[in-house]
Amino acid sequence: SVDVPAPDYGTGPREMAWIADTYINLLSDNDPNAFACVTGKPAHYGGIQGRFDATGLGVFFGIREMCNSECLMAKYGISTGLKNKKIIIQGFGTVGYWAAHYLVKAGAIVVAISELKSGVYCRDGIDLEKLKRHMMENDSLAGYPGATKEYHGSDVRKILELDCDILIPAAFQQVINRDN
């Protein structure tokens, strides 16, 4: 099999287009399949519509199906459905944002979100669009006006230990361990 690079932390459609362009110009030898050297390209550069939110949407579908399973929810003593489920998301990049977006649309309440250096807890739920705007303007979740509590530095990991119905690790690996 052949590895096909995909966007990850710190990269997006623009960077994937750069990689594809470099590959095509240096190595493709007019190969008609050269654009397939990477995924996650912009649609106008050989990518596909919906790719940007696809992983977060997949997280949503998985959680939705789990929450609709009477057998599973009974096992954990949780009511079925997403309505009013308290969600915590570790990671506010593409996957975390889009998972949160679709979960909120389905009636869940995102009460905490973290990123590498900061995190916020909002007892009554987070306004995702306001938080996204705040993150884009400040490059941090710190200082978000709707926060009930903020987390900084190494304390950011404490968000994983807050009370919730569903915890979504949507950023760095190995964040859930025996210590938390």
Side-chain angles (χ1 to χ4, degrees), residues 7 17 27 36 45 48 50 60 78-80 84-85 89 99 102 108 141 154 156 170 172 179:
L27 303 171
Y45 203 73
I48 58 171
F60 162 73
I78 301 172
S79 63
T80 56
N84 296 321
K85 294 286 188 294
I89 301 178
Y102 290 112
L141 300 178
S154 61
V156 169
F172 296 105
D179 296 330

Side-chain angles (χ1 to χ4, degrees), residues 12 14 22-23 25 27 33 40 52 59-61 65-66 86 91 93 96 98 108 113 116 123 143 145 148 155 169:
R14 177 184 64 181
T22 301
Y23 176 82
N25 285 311
L27 303 171
N33 298 311
F52 197 66
V59 169
F60 162 73
F61 284 144
E65 294 308 304
M66 179 189 77
K86 291 192 296 184
W98 285 108
I113 294 179
L116 183 61
R123 175 178 31 256
T148 306
D155 283 347

